[in-house]
Amino acid sequence: MSQIVIACGGTGGHLAPGIAVAEVLEARGHRCLLLISQKQVDSKLVEKYGHLRFERTPGRAFSGGLTKRLGSLLSLVEGFFFSRKLLRREQPDLVLLFGGFLSVGLAYAAKFKGLPIALHEANGQPGRTVRMVKGFATRLYLPDGVSLPGVADTSIRYLGYPVRGDIQRVLPEPARERLGLSVAGKLLVIIGGSQGAKALNDWVIQNFEALAEQGISVYCVTGLGGAGVDRLEHINQAGETIRASFVPFSDAMGDVISAADLVVSRAGAGSIAEIVRCRAPSILIPYPHAMDDHQRVNARMHVANAAGVWMDQEAIESKLLDEVVRLMADEDACAEFRAQMERMDAFDSSQQIAEDLGRLSRGELPLGDGSIEAMGSRD
């Protein structure tokens, strides 16, 4: 079978789909090496995937002031030479890039070596790395309805976001039990993405008593920086003890999202894909400083599919509490969101991408026009 090198570190939104595809590839008999960053979030996320091979690589995001940007450029050069050495050692048949700063050096090294390159873009607004190396790609995986100028239609496949196999919808009660939650009424889950979201953490603390008076408990995934508090309790006028739990990280996101009656989340492509997989009604709050404003584009696409609602971060102080309470009480709206997400999650992206990668790595010409029907699994 084939050897495939996957660059997917730097953020959970890049690493999680890399893991998802690698698990399917390995199950099909291929060998994978996943390149991850030195960041703490990568180290935490890979802890439960000891059956996969990971290697930490140099690199840093292209951001900040002049000094930091110069450092980023130097790290790209370092990443190129690191990748050349790694490709000589591993002798892969194909490289797969999930965007982010770790993909750039590997893209140039793979192009220099003449290897097939597959490139995955998760967001509705293609990122800087994807735009930079799109001309190298033998195959480009894009979200449905997204276009990228300068790329041949024959190289594009619309196969969605690969979700890890352990992220599955389960019933709320067993999910809550595994999380150690005792919920008197409704449960609101807050997800700030792999980097956390201070604005959402602070909103929970400031509005917890008002939520508790409505019988709404909270489970908040704060990010590794934390929220400065682990637990809050409030006895409401009905005599119920309502709790808010704060955790910096969870490797059981299937349970976390499935436990929720409603999710408030950043609008990263990974978070949205996991919300869809677990059929959770949601309010999306795009990170206002995201590169190319891609989270706002993601949120609008989700709402265009009638799968949830979104609001700007600037509105959360004045509007979010009322919207949470409204949606918690609107069973018809939540049922419609779930039905739309059922439709959106009609096929397994990980399986479809792995099938296509297998053909590419064997040098086979892809079949059909890239439609899902033309690319069905042969396993």
Side-chain angles (χ1 to χ4, degrees):
M1 280 295 190
S2 304
Q3 170 86 356
I4 299 173
V5 172
I6 302 173
C8 56
T11 70
H14 294 135
L15 180 51
I19 291 171
V21 173
E23 287 196 301
V24 176
L25 287 168
E26 293 263 336
R28 291 170 176 247
H30 303 283
R31 283 179 49 80
C32 299
L33 174 65
L34 292 86
L35 305 186
I36 63 174
S37 76
Q38 309 286 342
K39 294 169 69 173
Q40 187 181 10
V41 64
D42 284 17
S43 299
K44 290 291 291 183
L45 188 55
V46 304
E47 284 178 357
K48 69 182 291 186
Y49 300 100
H51 57 289
L52 297 175
R53 284 201 305 152
F54 297 94
E55 186 162 338
R56 287 173 173 78
T57 65
R60 66 175 73 173
F62 192 76
S63 62
L66 178 60
T67 301
K68 287 187 176 180
R69 288 175 180 264
L70 288 174
S72 298
L73 288 173
L74 290 174
S75 75
L76 292 180
V77 175
E78 182 183 6
F80 169 74
F81 286 105
F82 176 93
S83 297
R84 284 192 64 187
K85 183 177 179 181
L86 180 141
L87 293 178
R88 285 196 297 268
R89 185 191 78 203
E90 295 291 324
Q91 292 297 310
D93 301 285
L94 173 77
V95 300
L96 171 60
L97 315 174
F98 278 93
F101 56 89
L102 291 190
S103 291
V104 179
L106 183 61
Y108 279 88
K111 180 67 174 177
F112 186 84
K113 193 173 174 62
L115 290 171
I117 297 170
L119 183 59
H120 184 278
E121 172 56 66
N123 296 296
Q125 173 63 46
R128 177 183 295 165
T129 295
V130 170
R131 299 196 305 268
M132 183 185 303
V133 303
K134 65 182 181 181
F136 297 171
T138 308
R139 174 73 76 248
L140 182 59
Y141 302 112
L142 292 176
D144 192 28
V146 174
S147 61
L148 194 58
V151 176
D153 290 344
T154 54
S155 70
I156 295 174
R157 298 292 181 268
Y158 296 101
L159 294 180
Y161 187 99
V163 176
R164 288 168 289 161
D166 55 293
I167 307 291
Q168 296 291 334
R169 183 188 185 191
V170 296
L171 293 174
E173 287 308 319
R176 294 173 184 180
E177 184 176 345
R178 285 190 290 271
L179 295 171
L181 298 176
S182 177
V183 177
K186 300 281 190 176
L187 179 66
L188 174 67
V189 166
I190 309 289
I191 304 171
S194 63
Q195 310 298 317
K198 185 177 186 301
L200 299 185
N201 299 341
D202 291 347
W203 179 86
V204 173
I205 294 170
Q206 293 162 10
N207 290 274
F208 172 61
E209 289 191 8
L211 290 165
E213 287 300 327
Q214 298 291 329
I216 299 172
S217 301
V218 183
Y219 190 85
C220 181
V221 184
T222 65
L224 296 177
V229 62
D230 296 326
R231 186 182 180 94
L232 296 173
E233 286 191 359
H234 177 75
I235 300 175
N236 64 19
Q237 292 186 10
E240 301 167 319
T241 300
I242 306 297
R243 299 178 178 87
S245 302
F246 299 83
V247 298
F249 176 84
S250 176
D251 62 0
M253 289 307 295
D255 282 343
V256 169
I257 300 172
S258 294
D261 293 288
L262 181 69
V263 172
V264 172
S265 175
R266 286 301 195 203
S271 295
I272 293 174
E274 292 173 1
I275 286 168
V276 170
R277 175 60 50 86
C278 297
R279 313 290 191 266
S282 63
I283 302 171
L284 301 178
I285 314 290
Y287 177 53
H289 307 298
M291 185 70 67
D292 300 314
D293 207 18
H294 69 265
Q295 288 204 5
R296 191 186 304 269
V297 177
N298 294 344
R300 285 174 172 165
M301 291 174 67
H302 192 65
V303 172
N305 282 312
V309 302
W310 76 281
M311 70 174 59
D312 283 322
Q313 180 168 299
E314 292 77 8
I316 65 175
E317 293 302 325
S318 60
K319 296 181 179 179
L320 183 55
L321 178 61
D322 288 343
E323 187 71 351
V324 166
V325 173
R326 182 187 73 80
L327 281 177
M328 285 284 195
D330 194 338
E331 294 292 342
D332 289 341
C334 290
E336 179 62 23
F337 292 156
R338 292 189 183 98
Q340 292 301 320
M341 287 185 280
E342 186 83 26
R343 176 187 59 79
M344 293 164 64
D345 196 32
F347 70 98
D348 190 325
S349 293
S350 301
Q351 295 287 346
Q352 299 287 347
I353 290 173
E355 169 66 17
D356 191 49
L357 290 171
R359 290 204 294 265
L360 288 173
S361 68
R362 295 189 296 269
E364 298 176 9
L365 289 176
L367 303 174
D369 61 358
S371 66
I372 294 168
E373 292 78 12
M375 299 178 60
S377 172
R378 295 181 301 179
D379 284 5

